[in-house]
Amino acid sequence: MRRWGLILIAVNLCGLIALAFALPHLMVAPGPLIPAHAEIRRDCFACHAPFRGVSADRCTACHKVADIGIRTTKGVPLGAARHGIAFHQALSQPNCMACHSDHSAPHLVKTPRQSFAHELLRPEVRDRCAACHRAPPTALHAQAGSNCAQCHTQKGWKPARFDHARFFALTGPHDRSCSTCHVGGNLSRYTCYSCHEHQPDRIRAKHAEEGIRDIENCARCHRSGSGEGDEREGDGRDDD
């Protein structure tokens, strides 16, 4: 009886191994492939090297780095409306798996989609945000210019919030364009003397009477055009 049990186990193991080779996309794959790679779902070794996992060299054998975002794998040009902006050519190395996973994992174990890491870009192109990103068509972004780092970081596009009304209300005579106070589109600095330049000595003397020597951060005390506000610590950024 024991002998027949061992034979049955051996037959089952052989059957499982045979199925793994015959139907790898059903037996061992961590979910279905993306539609673009559906035609190679039975050919695991198109992407995987035996005992070494996925190989970037096998990705670039079909996806030429110089053509990614510009042409298909068959050399057909991609229109701007059909595809995003090409940036793969600026990567320091073709580490495809740093961003891509062509298998959709089962729902019970699905992990969040990995975001793009700017550290993968060559250092000389990391600050050229406009090469890949288009600013939203808002009045603020139209005036902010191309210095995205004033409000955003490469660790995450959001949060990037600034509650202007909390620190300096743009009401009455202060309802002006950003460049009035932020000269040259530099939103990290401001000046009140774009409008009040005719009386800097009077302003300095008046504050000296109150024992105030540092008058560089006007918005610390004056947060609107209606009068003096409560003194507030901080640099004017909402980091919540």
Side-chain angles (χ1 to χ4, degrees):
M1 186 68 181
R2 182 179 178 183
R3 178 183 177 185
W4 285 106
L6 292 174
I7 292 175
L8 182 60
I9 292 174
V11 170
N12 287 331
L13 286 175
C14 291
L16 290 173
I17 294 172
L19 286 172
F21 278 95
L23 302 171
H25 59 294
L26 297 178
M27 297 297 294
V28 296
L33 282 171
I34 60 174
H37 286 163
E39 63 183 30
I40 60 172
R41 66 184 184 278
R42 293 176 178 268
D43 185 9
C44 298
F45 298 122
C47 300
H48 296 265
F51 307 109
R52 290 190 295 129
V54 182
S55 170
D57 293 338
R58 302 200 175 198
C59 298
T60 55
C62 293
H63 302 277
K64 305 299 182 184
V65 175
D67 289 344
I68 297 177
I70 301 174
R71 300 177 183 84
T72 68
T73 55
K74 298 180 180 179
V76 179
L78 291 168
R82 288 187 54 198
H83 207 268
I85 302 171
F87 66 88
H88 289 77
Q89 295 76 9
L91 296 174
S92 57
Q93 58 181 346
N95 184 5
C96 309
M97 284 67 68
C99 299
H100 298 280
S101 176
D102 285 2
H103 287 281
S104 175
H107 290 287
L108 291 177
V109 296
K110 185 171 291 186
T111 56
R113 182 179 179 182
Q114 189 170 1
S115 59
F116 175 74
H118 289 79
E119 290 80 4
L120 296 173
L121 293 169
R122 295 197 303 269
E124 65 269 20
V125 299
R126 288 177 189 169
D127 295 330
R128 301 176 190 173
C129 307
C132 295
H133 300 281
R134 293 188 179 94
T138 64
L140 175 61
H141 286 88
Q143 298 182 65
S146 59
N147 189 1
C148 308
Q150 294 177 110
C151 299
H152 302 279
T153 70
Q154 293 184 356
K155 296 296 183 182
W157 191 249
K158 294 180 179 180
R161 297 178 295 167
F162 177 69
D163 186 359
H164 214 298
R166 176 183 174 188
F167 298 99
F168 194 84
L170 300 178
T171 58
H174 289 148
D175 186 13
R176 294 290 185 267
S177 65
C178 303
S179 59
T180 302
C181 302
H182 303 285
V183 179
N186 185 357
L187 301 183
S188 65
R189 301 179 62 85
Y190 74 90
T191 178
C192 294
Y193 292 108
S194 293
C195 296
H196 300 281
E197 60 183 354
H198 58 289
Q199 51 180 349
D201 291 337
R202 289 181 55 193
I203 292 174
R204 188 172 292 105
K206 183 177 180 180
H207 284 78
E209 293 175 359
E210 302 293 333
I212 302 173
R213 304 297 179 186
D214 183 5
I215 62 171
E216 296 301 319
N217 188 1
C218 305
R220 180 175 181 177
C221 298
H222 305 279
R223 300 200 306 277
S224 73
S226 59
E228 296 185 4
D230 297 330
E231 183 172 330
R232 190 181 196 89
E233 298 290 342
D235 61 357
R237 286 198 176 277
D238 183 8
D239 296 326
D240 296 338

